[in-house]
Amino acid sequence: MTHSANPVAAGPVAPRPVALYPLGLRLSGRAVLVVGGGAVAARRASGLVAVGALVTVVAPEAGPDLRALLSTGVVTWRNRGYRTGDLAGAWLAHTATGVTEVDTQVAADAEAARIWCVNAGDHTASDAWVPAVTRRDDVTVTVSTGGDPRRAMALRDAIATSLDAGELPLRHHRRPAGAGTVHLVGGGPGDPGLITVLGRRLLAEADVVIADRLGPRSLLGELDPEVLVIDVGKLPGHHPVPQDEINALLVEHARAGRRVVRLKGGDPYVLGRGGEEAAYCRSHGVTVEVVPGVTSAISVPAAAGIPVTHRGVAAGFTVVTGHEQLRALPGGRDHTVILLMGISALSGSAAVLATGTRGEGCPVAIIEDGYGPGQRVTIGTLATIAALAESRGVASPAVVVVGDVVTLSPHAHTPRRQLVTTAPRKAHS
C-alpha cells in the first residue's frame, strides 16, 4: 500500500545568494570611466584615484563632492551626458547617475565591450560590486553582503576595530626580502588600556618584542607563541641587559628580516632613551619608527587626581630625573615639578626644592605603581615627604609631584591614615 502526504501549498522560494568570485584589481595607471556627478560617483572616483587609476568622469553636472575632487586636477571631466563609445580604452566602468535608462545603457555597452561595470543604480543587475573596504598598511579587508551596503559597512567597521585593537592575527608568516623594521612603541604607564591603537596593532604584528619592565606586560601573554619575547627590564641600580646590548639586539633582529617592537613604558622620548635607540638603528641602516605613548609623568599623577597644570594654580611643569637639575628649575609652587626615578634621592631633592621660593610647606605627592594593583598615594610637604616615604616603605616605580596642584587631589583632603592604599583607576574594561 502506498501512502501519499497531504499536499501543502508552496510558499515563495527565497532567491539563492549570488556566488561572487572575490578579486583584487591593480588599477594603477589604468583608465576607468565613472558616469554620474552625484555623491556616489564622487566617492567611487575618489577611491579609484586613491589606488592610482586614471579616472574620467562623464556627467552634465557635478555636485559639490565631485567639484572638490575635480579641483585637485587628478580627474578628467567630460561635461556632458554619456555617449556610447565613452568606454573606449577603459578597464573598468562605474555608473551612478540615478537615471535607470542611462545606467542600463552604460552596463549594456560595457557588457558588449567585455568591460566589467559596477551599476550602482541596480545591484541586482550589476555584474560587479564595490565592497566595503578597510585598509591597515598592507592588509586590505573587503566585505560584500549581496547588495546591502549598510550591513557591509557595519561588518567592515567591526573588523577595523578588531584590527586596531590587535584582536585579529595580524602577524606576518612570510618575511619580506631585506631588512626588517624596528618600532619604538610607548606602552603607557602599564595599564593595557592605555597603549595607543597603533602600538597595540604593531604588537600584534611583531616577530620579536623587546620589553621593558614598566610597559603593559600583560599584553605579552596574548602574543602568538612563536613571537620571541626578550625581557630587558631594569630595576633601580640593577640593569641585567645594558643599553648597548639592547641597541645591538634591535639591529640584530631587524637585519634578520624580523619585525621588532621595542615595548617601552610611558613614551619612548620622555626619559626613555628612545632617542638613543632610534639613532643607533638608523646609524646601522635599520628603518625605525617611533610610536608615542602616554607618559607616566602626566598619566600617573592623573591616576591620583592631580593635574600637572590647572588654571589659577599652575601654568607649566618640568619633568626631571635627578636632584642635581633642581637648582635651575623655574618658578615657585605655581610651577609643577615632576620627579621620575626620584625615590632614592628624595631627601636631597626635597631639601634643594625647599630652599627656593617653594618653601618647606610646598605640597608633595608620591604615586606608587600608577594604574597597577599596588597603586598607593602618599601626600606631605617638602619638609615631611622624605620621612613619610621612609616610614611607609615607598618604592619604585613611583612618580613624585611637587607644587600646589597636589592640593587638587581628592587624596589631599583624606585623613592621612587613609592614604596608605588607594584603589587604582582602570583604563580598560
Side-chain angles (χ1 to χ4, degrees):
M1 180 180 291
T2 303
H3 297 277
S4 60
N6 294 328
V8 177
V13 178
R16 299 184 64 182
V18 176
L20 300 179
Y21 185 80
L23 183 70
L25 298 179
R26 183 173 293 168
L27 292 173
S28 179
R30 292 182 166 92
V32 178
L33 183 73
V34 174
V35 183
V40 174
R43 285 199 302 272
R44 298 306 181 220
S46 180
L48 290 162
V49 167
V51 297
L54 305 179
V55 179
T56 297
V57 174
V58 175
E61 297 181 0
D65 294 338
L66 182 57
R67 286 190 178 277
L69 182 62
L70 293 172
S71 68
T72 65
V74 296
V75 172
T76 300
W77 181 27
R78 296 176 185 169
N79 188 3
R80 56 170 175 75
Y82 171 78
R83 300 171 185 168
T84 296
D86 283 338
L87 287 167
W91 292 71
L92 176 70
H94 195 298
T95 182
T97 67
V99 180
T100 301
E101 294 77 8
V102 176
D103 289 339
T104 301
Q105 184 63 53
V106 176
D109 290 346
E111 176 77 13
R114 295 188 175 183
I115 297 170
W116 289 107
C117 178
V118 179
N119 185 346
D122 184 0
H123 74 273
T124 62
S126 184
D127 290 323
W129 286 265
V130 176
V133 178
T134 186
R135 292 185 174 89
R136 297 297 184 274
D137 297 329
D138 59 347
V139 174
T140 299
V141 178
T142 66
V143 180
S144 181
T145 53
D148 188 341
R150 291 183 181 274
R151 184 183 182 207
M153 288 187 289
L155 282 169
R156 175 204 60 193
D157 293 344
I159 292 169
T161 299
S162 295
L163 286 170
D164 288 336
E167 296 171 351
L168 297 179
L170 279 168
R171 185 166 170 263
H172 300 251
H173 293 276
R174 290 184 179 179
R175 291 180 185 167
T181 57
V182 171
H183 285 91
L184 306 182
V185 175
D191 189 299
L194 292 176
I195 189 173
T196 64
V197 169
L198 177 57
R200 185 67 184 84
R201 179 158 56 87
L202 290 170
L203 193 60
E205 295 183 32
D207 301 311
V208 178
V209 178
I210 301 177
D212 275 351
R213 179 173 68 101
L214 300 180
R217 297 180 64 88
S218 63
L219 295 177
L220 300 179
E222 301 176 9
L223 300 177
D224 188 304
E226 295 183 0
V227 176
L228 175 63
V229 177
I230 303 173
D231 190 342
V232 296
K234 300 174 183 178
L235 293 168
H238 178 60
H239 299 173
V241 183
Q243 187 62 48
D244 287 348
E245 291 187 24
I246 295 174
N247 294 345
L249 284 169
L250 295 172
V251 169
E252 173 191 344
H253 287 287
R255 282 181 168 174
R258 303 182 181 103
R259 294 171 174 83
V260 182
V261 166
R262 174 72 169 104
L263 184 62
K264 306 174 77 69
D267 182 278
Y269 277 5
V270 179
L271 304 173
R273 309 193 78 165
E276 298 174 36
E277 294 173 357
Y280 186 88
C281 290
R282 291 175 180 133
S283 69
H284 287 76
V286 171
T287 299
V288 60
E289 295 183 16
V290 178
V291 180
V294 179
T295 174
S296 59
I298 297 173
S299 61
V300 170
I306 301 173
V308 295
T309 63
H310 189 85
R311 186 169 61 175
V313 180
F317 66 95
T318 300
V319 182
V320 293
T321 58
H323 90 256
E324 71 277 0
Q325 304 162 307
L326 301 179
R327 297 186 187 278
L329 291 181
R333 292 165 60 158
D334 61 346
H335 185 92
T336 307
V337 177
I338 301 165
L339 299 174
L340 301 184
M341 299 171 280
I343 297 302
S344 62
L346 181 60
S347 179
S349 298
V352 170
L353 289 170
T355 60
T357 58
R358 292 176 179 82
E360 292 185 343
C362 181
V364 182
I366 303 174
I367 306 97
E368 299 170 80
D369 192 27
Y371 289 99
Q375 180 174 302
R376 183 168 70 159
V377 180
T378 299
I379 291 180
T381 66
L382 285 174
T384 65
I385 195 64
L388 283 171
E390 183 177 1
S391 68
R392 293 183 177 170
V394 169
S396 296
V399 174
V400 181
V401 185
V402 181
D404 279 345
V405 291
V406 171
T407 65
L408 301 173
S409 170
H411 304 293
H413 309 291
T414 303
R416 187 165 294 169
R417 65 180 179 275
Q418 296 182 24
L419 291 177
V420 176
T421 59
T422 62
R425 288 179 58 195
K426 284 297 180 183
H428 64 293
S429 58

